[in-house]
Each structure stands twice: as structure tokens, then as C-alpha cells.
């Protein structure tokens, strides 16, 4: 029996907007990856499939137990729960404390059972996870990465029939990602993974892609899916070329038919003037010619409309499949040394003195475990925080871009942001640039606060790429909430960027695609 079945489900918002309709799927495999562009409805679809949210139409049959991990901020951030309370082990630890204090009440022994080593075992496991080894540590004081790891650890220990993991690798450092990868491999039950992490998606047996065209299933992991998408793109391009040839041939044939009809009409008029044929015969010939011309025109029009509809459908699919490209100014950056740090001491994170120099062509990856001070170092270079010791000089304009692209003014439109941050840019040029990344006509007036993560990224990089000088980019996990297409676009854009950048990212594949040439690790 399949773990779940969905039959013709649709979801419509209260304002009448339709998110998706008539989707059907069956989950039989142990490992399924759900992918799609930001805002397409992946998280909501998973909630419908697990019966957390009801569809507007259609039915879902669920035949197993379910537990979920959400990328949304955890309720633990606002609670007073300790790690032990979250893991529901606090009552056993309390019983051990009572017994150790000399209370021999039988109820404490019943609660403990055989778990006499729980306190030490739990401390050891927490330490191995990179978490505070004190079970009474408040959850609200954990970092984002630690909190994610704690939640995921509890899920993997649950042995639930189906785990739904929504962007589980966000906020995890490299070591935590390796731990997550191993947990997914070892988990004996089924997993539905919503992710843009290609390393995790390669562990899946099946890929489901949610798009404006519906839900498409691919019978393999991410690499198989990517090959199939490339083949699909090539096939559509060939079909577009074929339809264009047919349209051209139809137009040429229609022109030839018109010329022949005009020649026949001219000959008929000449014969009529000469008077050599009976009038009734000539009228019959003209009626037949008119009827034939009318039928031919109807066929041509029908064929033309059919080809036009096919061309529009193919072009829409081609537009959805083809990767976008972003054109940046070449720019320039004066000075050979943009940043020079000597025995610099950060106000938070690593206590190790930092000696670092960045040249005008630097492409540096900043690495290290969660909490080591990577973001703090970027804030210091950007002038947002001060060193507590050592020296630093910055001889460049600096743009700081985090995962939310806070550089942008959320209350302004995309067009206004371009005009605000790109000195000397004409409105017509700004519109042309925005059209190049998919924002045409009135879409340029959309407020930044209404944009998805991928859309903000494209706008931010467009702003950065059209400065008088190529600024030093400080990129703090900019790929964290991007879909696969947006992540590939950002990597290609950074690879083509003429200036220097410092990148924080835990995605090794993304880092390599960005053209990073050196690495600095914070201890």
C-alpha cells in the first residue's frame, strides 16, 4: 500500500488566486525530493499531503504516521523550554536527581526504569551534535544552526513512518550538513524532502517538480532529473525551430497561392472581355474559383492559428526552462589592496587574531563552524561593528548582502531601488535592465517587500553590477533561501563579476560554481 495518495487536489486562496489545481500523486518510494521555484507552493503542498491543511478540492489518503520539520522560525525561540523538556526526558532526569539526593520513593525508580546512564549518555550525544552538553540549557539561547540540529535529531530518533523535511540544511554549517546527510542515509523509514540542496537531493530515489505546469515526476535522483531537464530543453528548442519553419513555409505557400489566384483571375477577365466563352460557363468557373479560394483561406487561417498556439505554448515552456542570464557592468576597482587586517580581534566569535589581505580580484570563501564569527567579520569589514584589537584598512566601496538582501529598500519599488542605488542611471536603461531579468512593463513597480528571495537576489545583483566601480561584495549565505534556478543564476553572475567578493556559504558545489579561488577558515 502506498504511504499517501493525492487525487486531483487544488488550492485557492481567499482572494480567489489559484495556487495549483488538479494535482495527483502517489508516494511509494522511501526517498522523494520535492523541488520547484520559490513561491510555487511546495511547503503548502506538503502540508496538504500530510493533511495539516485541507485542499480546496480533491482528496488525500494518508496511510502512515507523519512528523515534519519546518524552515519557519521555531516556537522554541519564544518558549522557556530546556533541551531536556523539548526532548521529553526531563521527568527521567528529575527522577534521577531525586534518587541521587537520597529520596527512595518507588515512583522515582519506576520512572527511571533501566535508564540509569541517561544523564551522561545525553550529555555525550549533545556534545557530539555540537550542542551545549547541559540538558537544562534553554532552547531560546541556541543559535539557528543548533536549534535546527536539535529539532532534526529528535525527528530522526522518532522512527516515524514518513518524515517531511522542509529545507532542513538551511543554517547548518558544513559539519552539520554532513551529519544531516548521514542521518538521511541511515533513516529506515520514508522521507519527503523539500530542498534546493543538490547534495541532499542526490540521496533521493525520486524527484517531484512543482511548476506552473503542474506536478511532474522524475524516476531518479537530482542528477537524473537534471539530465532529463536538459533533454527536455533541447527537445523544446528543436520543436520551436520546427514550428517556426512550418510558419514560414505556410506564409510562403499562402503568398504563392494568392499570386496564382490573381493570375487565374486576370486570365478569366481577359477571356470574359474577348467574349469567346458562354457567359453561364464563365460565371460557373468564377463561382468555383471563389469557393476554392474561400476554402483555401479558411484552411490557411486554421493552420496559421494552430501553429501560432503551438508556438506560444512552446515559447512559454521554453521561457520556464531556460536559465536566465544577468548582464553586469565591467566596472573597475582602484588599488591593489582592498582590505588589510593585521592581528585583528573580533568582538564576537573566534578569539584567534586575524591577519588577512584582499586584493582587487579576490574571490574568497570564509569558512568555519556556526558561531565562529563569519558574519561578525563581514560586519566589521562593512563598518557595522568595530574590532576590539588589531588594525584594519578598507580601501574600497563595500556592499553587504545577506540571505535576505537587506541592502534593498523594502518600501520602494524595484525601479525606485535601481534609480536610488545606481547613480546616473536613466529610467529607460533601468527598465531595460529589469526586463532582462524578467520584470517587464508594470512589474517594475512591484514593492521589494513583495518579492521572493530569488527575485530580491536578482535585483540586488543588478544594483551591485551597475555601480561606477565594482564594489567589494560581502555575501553572507546569500544562497540560503534560493531555489535551484536562482542559485545557479547567482553562481554564474558571481563567476562573471569583475570585482572582488567574500562569500560565506556551506554549499560546496555552489561555492565552486562561483569561481572561488581561495579560502580563509575561522577557528
Amino acid at each position: 500500500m502506498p504511504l499517501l495518495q493525492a487525487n486531483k487536489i487544488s488550492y485557492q486562496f481567499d482572494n480567489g488566486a489559484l495556487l495549483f489545481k488538479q494535482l495527483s500523486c502517489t508516494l511509494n518510494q522511501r526517498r522523494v525530493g520535492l523541488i520547484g521555484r520559490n513561491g510555487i507552493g511546495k511547503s503548502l503542498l506538503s502540508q496538504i499531503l500530510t493533511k495539516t491543511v485541507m485542499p480546496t478540492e480533491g482528496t488525500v489518503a494518508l496511510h502512515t504516521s507523519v512528523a515534519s520539520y519546518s524552515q519557519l522560525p521555531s516556537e522554541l525561540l519564544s518558549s522557556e523550554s530546556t533541551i531536556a523538556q523539548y526532548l521529553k526526558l526531563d521527568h527521567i532526569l528529575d527522577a534521577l536527581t531525586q534518587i541521587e539526593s537520597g529520596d527512595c520513593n518507588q515512583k522515582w525508580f519506576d520512572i527511571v526504569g533501566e535508564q540509569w546512564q541517561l544523564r551522561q549518555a545525553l550529555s555525550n550525544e549533545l556534545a557530539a551534535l555540537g550542542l551545549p552538553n547541559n540538558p537544562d540549557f534553554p532552547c531560546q539561547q541556541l543559535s539557528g544552526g543548533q536549534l535546527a540540529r536539535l529539532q532534526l535529531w529528535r525527528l530522526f530518533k522518532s522512527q516515524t513512518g514518513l518524515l517531511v523535511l522542509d529545507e532542513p540544511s538551511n543554517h547548518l554549517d558544513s559539519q552539520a550538513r554532513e551529519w544531516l546527510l548521514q542521518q538521511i542515509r541511515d533513516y529506515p523509514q520514508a522521507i519527503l524532502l523539500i530542498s534546493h540542496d543538490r547534495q541532499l537531493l542526490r540521496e533521493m530515489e525520486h524527484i517531484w517538480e512543482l511548476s506552473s505546469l503542474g506536478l511532474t515526476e522524475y524516476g531518479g535522483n537530482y542528477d537524473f532529473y537534471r539530465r532529463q531537464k536538459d533533454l527536455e530543453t533541447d527537445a523544446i528548442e528543436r520543436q520551436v525551430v520546427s514550428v517556426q519553419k512550418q510558419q514560414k513555409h505556410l506564409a510562403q505557400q499562402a503568398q504563392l497561392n494568392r499570386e496564382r489566384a490573381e493570375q487565374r483571375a486576370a486570365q478569366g477577365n481577359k477571356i470574359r472581355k474577348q467574349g469567346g466563352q458562354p457567359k453561364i460557363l464563365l460565371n460557373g468557373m468564377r463561382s468555383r474559383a471563389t469557393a476554392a479560394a474561400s476554402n483555401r483561406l479558411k484552411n490557411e487561417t486554421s493552420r496559421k492559428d494552430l501553429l501560432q498556439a503551438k508556438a506560444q505554448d512552446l515559447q512559454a515552456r521554453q521561457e520556464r526552462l531556460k536559465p536566465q542570464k544577468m548582464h553586469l557592468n565591467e566596472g573597475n576597482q582602484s588599488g591593489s589592496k582592498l582590505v588589510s587586517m593585521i592581528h585583528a580581534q573580533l568582538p564576537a566569535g573566534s578569539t584567534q587574531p586575524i591577519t588577512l589581505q584582499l586584493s582587487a580580484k579576490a574571490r574568497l570563501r570564509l569558512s568555519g563552524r556556526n558561531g565562529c564569527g563569519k558574519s561578525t567579520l563581514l560586519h566589521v569589514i562593512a563598518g557595522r561593528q568595530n574590532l576590539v584589537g588589531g588594525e584594519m584598512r578598507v580601501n574600497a566601496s563595500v556592499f553587504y548582502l545577506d540571505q535576505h538582501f537587506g541592502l534593498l529598500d523594502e518600501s520602494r519599488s524595484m525601479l525606485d531601488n535601481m534609480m536610488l542605488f545606481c547613480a546616473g542611471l536613466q529610467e529607460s536603461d533601468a527598465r531595460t535592465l529589469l526586463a532582462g531579468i524578467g520584470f517587464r512593463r508594470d512589474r517594475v513597480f512591484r514593492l521589494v517587500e513583495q518579492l521572493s528571495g530569488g527575485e530580491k537576489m536578482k535585483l540586488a545583483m543588478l544594483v551591485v553590477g551597475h555601480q561606477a566601480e565594482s564594489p567589494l561584495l560581502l555575501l553572507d549565505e546569500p544562497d540560503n533561501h534560493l531555489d535551484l534556478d536562482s542559485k545557479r543564476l547567482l553562481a554564474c553572475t558571481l563567476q562573471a563579476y569583475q570585482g572582488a567578493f567574500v562569500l560565506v556559504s556551506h554549499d560546496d558545489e555552489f561555492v565552486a560554481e562561483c569561481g572561488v579561488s581561495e579560502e580563509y577558515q575561522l577557528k
Side-chain angles (χ1 to χ4, degrees):
M1 178 182 292
L3 298 178
L4 67 83
Q5 289 176 294
N7 183 41
K8 296 182 178 179
I9 58 174
S10 303
Y11 190 84
Q12 190 171 26
F13 293 109
D14 292 339
N15 63 6
L18 189 65
L19 186 62
F20 47 72
K21 67 176 183 177
Q22 299 288 295
L23 300 184
S24 297
C25 60
T26 301
L27 197 153
N28 290 307
Q29 295 76 19
R30 288 181 59 251
R31 299 289 183 269
V32 175
L34 176 59
I35 64 175
R37 292 183 175 177
N38 289 338
I40 200 67
K42 302 183 297 296
S43 296
L44 187 53
L45 175 60
S46 71
Q47 292 172 330
I48 291 174
L49 294 178
T50 55
K51 308 191 84 168
T52 306
V53 173
M54 294 300 295
T56 308
E57 295 179 357
T59 59
V60 174
L62 188 61
H63 305 295
T64 187
S65 56
V66 175
S68 300
Y69 172 83
S70 173
Q71 60 177 314
L72 298 176
S74 172
E75 59 185 18
L76 293 175
L77 291 173
S78 57
S79 77
E80 297 182 357
S81 298
T82 65
I83 292 177
Q85 288 171 336
Y86 174 69
L87 296 174
K88 300 187 186 308
L89 298 175
D90 54 309
H91 62 296
I92 301 176
L93 295 177
D94 289 343
L96 285 170
T97 300
Q98 295 297 329
I99 295 172
E100 289 166 358
S101 68
D103 189 337
C104 296
N105 192 312
Q106 183 59 41
K107 70 177 182 179
W108 304 126
F109 290 89
D110 293 339
I111 291 173
V112 172
E114 300 298 323
Q115 302 186 71
W116 294 100
Q117 303 301 319
L118 176 64
R119 190 184 303 279
Q120 187 59 49
L122 180 57
S123 295
N124 292 341
E125 286 194 84
L126 292 173
L129 286 167
L131 301 173
N133 62 359
N134 174 15
D136 295 323
F137 192 89
C139 291
Q140 63 180 209
Q141 294 182 25
L142 296 173
S143 70
Q146 290 174 325
L147 202 57
R149 204 163 180 174
L150 176 64
Q151 292 174 286
L152 289 166
W153 181 51
R154 189 177 82 162
L155 285 176
F156 285 121
K157 288 173 67 69
S158 70
Q159 301 300 302
T160 304
L162 173 64
L163 288 188
V164 179
L165 307 179
D166 192 351
E167 298 288 1
S169 60
N170 280 0
H171 307 298
L172 297 185
D173 59 28
S174 298
Q175 287 182 305
R177 281 173 178 244
E178 286 298 325
W179 170 84
L180 173 60
L181 191 65
Q182 193 59 52
Q183 293 296 311
I184 288 176
R185 288 171 178 166
D186 294 342
Y187 192 68
Q189 308 299 330
I191 293 176
L192 175 61
L193 171 71
I194 305 169
S195 180
H196 304 303
D197 189 318
R198 287 167 287 190
Q199 189 177 21
L200 297 184
L201 290 170
R202 289 191 177 98
E203 299 297 320
M204 301 297 105
E205 303 167 352
H206 220 64
I207 298 293
W208 292 354
E209 183 185 31
L210 182 62
S211 72
S212 57
L213 300 178
L215 189 66
T216 307
E217 300 185 25
Y218 296 84
N221 68 2
Y222 173 78
D223 291 330
F224 177 84
Y225 155 81
R226 192 67 258 167
R227 288 193 297 270
Q228 294 302 307
K229 294 291 287 186
D230 290 341
L231 291 173
E232 185 180 350
T233 301
D234 292 342
I236 288 177
E237 287 177 355
R238 289 194 298 270
Q239 291 178 57
V240 168
V241 171
S242 175
V243 169
Q244 289 173 343
K245 286 182 178 179
Q246 293 177 59
Q247 288 176 314
K248 183 177 180 180
H249 176 73
L250 179 62
Q252 291 172 340
Q253 188 63 48
Q255 179 63 28
L256 182 60
N257 290 338
R258 282 193 296 272
E259 291 173 356
R260 288 174 176 173
E262 289 170 359
Q263 290 174 358
R264 287 194 295 270
Q267 290 174 353
N269 290 334
K270 183 178 179 181
I271 293 172
R272 184 181 294 273
K273 288 179 181 180
Q274 291 174 348
Q277 296 289 342
K279 187 174 181 179
I280 191 172
L281 177 61
L282 292 174
N283 289 341
M285 291 172 62
R286 183 166 61 181
S287 297
R288 287 192 295 273
T290 301
S294 177
N295 289 334
R296 184 170 62 250
L297 183 60
K298 287 180 182 178
N299 290 336
E300 287 173 357
T301 302
S302 176
R303 178 65 174 160
K304 181 180 178 181
D305 291 344
L306 185 64
L307 287 174
Q308 181 64 26
K310 188 174 182 179
Q312 289 176 347
D313 177 63
L314 287 171
Q315 286 166 359
R317 293 174 63 192
Q318 187 181 43
E319 186 68 25
R320 188 182 65 81
L321 288 170
K322 73 177 182 181
Q324 289 185 331
K325 294 183 180 180
M326 192 179 298
H327 301 286
L328 306 180
N329 281 348
E330 291 190 4
N332 62 81
Q333 186 65 269
S334 59
S336 58
K337 296 298 180 187
L338 305 185
V339 177
S340 179
M341 305 182 77
I342 301 175
H343 302 305
Q345 292 184 310
L346 299 178
S350 175
T351 57
Q352 168 189 299
I354 298 170
T355 297
L356 176 66
Q357 290 187 328
L358 296 176
S359 69
K361 296 297 181 183
R363 293 164 176 262
L364 177 72
R365 180 189 193 180
L366 193 59
S367 61
R369 296 199 67 170
N370 289 336
C372 69
K374 299 184 294 296
S375 295
T376 302
L377 176 54
L378 295 185
H379 286 167
V380 167
I381 297 174
R384 299 183 173 195
Q385 291 181 259
N386 297 319
L387 292 173
V388 295
E391 299 178 9
M392 180 184 71
R393 291 182 181 178
V394 179
N395 303 312
S397 58
V398 176
F399 272 44
Y400 176 85
L401 296 176
D402 60 11
Q403 58 189 280
H404 304 294
F405 300 96
L407 156 78
L408 303 171
D409 188 334
E410 296 257 324
S411 64
R412 294 175 182 260
S413 70
M414 290 184 286
L415 181 60
D416 286 343
N417 270 269
M418 289 292 293
M419 303 302 293
L420 175 66
F421 292 112
C422 302
L425 186 67
Q426 298 296 315
E427 181 176 332
S428 58
D429 295 330
R431 282 177 169 273
T432 300
L433 292 170
L434 289 168
I437 58 171
F439 302 108
R440 297 176 175 84
R441 295 181 286 277
D442 289 346
R443 292 189 68 195
V444 302
F445 299 115
R446 285 178 63 192
L447 298 180
V448 170
E449 64 185 6
Q450 298 172 343
L451 303 180
S452 69
E455 290 170 332
K456 287 181 181 179
M457 179 276 296
K458 288 186 280 189
L459 177 59
M461 290 306 298
L462 207 57
V463 167
V464 167
H466 288 83
Q467 303 300 307
E469 291 187 343
S470 297
L472 168 63
L473 300 187
L474 306 177
L475 301 148
D476 195 354
E477 300 193 55
D479 57 316
N480 220 9
H481 296 290
L482 299 184
D483 58 42
L484 289 166
D485 290 337
S486 297
K487 188 177 288 193
R488 293 174 73 191
L489 175 61
L490 177 57
C492 291
T493 303
L494 288 174
Q495 190 173 59
Y497 185 61
Q498 297 298 307
F501 64 79
V502 180
L503 173 65
V504 176
S505 174
H506 300 298
D507 187 332
D508 294 339
E509 194 165 345
F510 170 74
V511 170
E513 290 175 346
C514 290
V516 166
S517 56
E518 50 188 317
E519 182 172 351
Y520 187 90
Q521 185 170 23
L522 286 174
K523 303 296 184 183

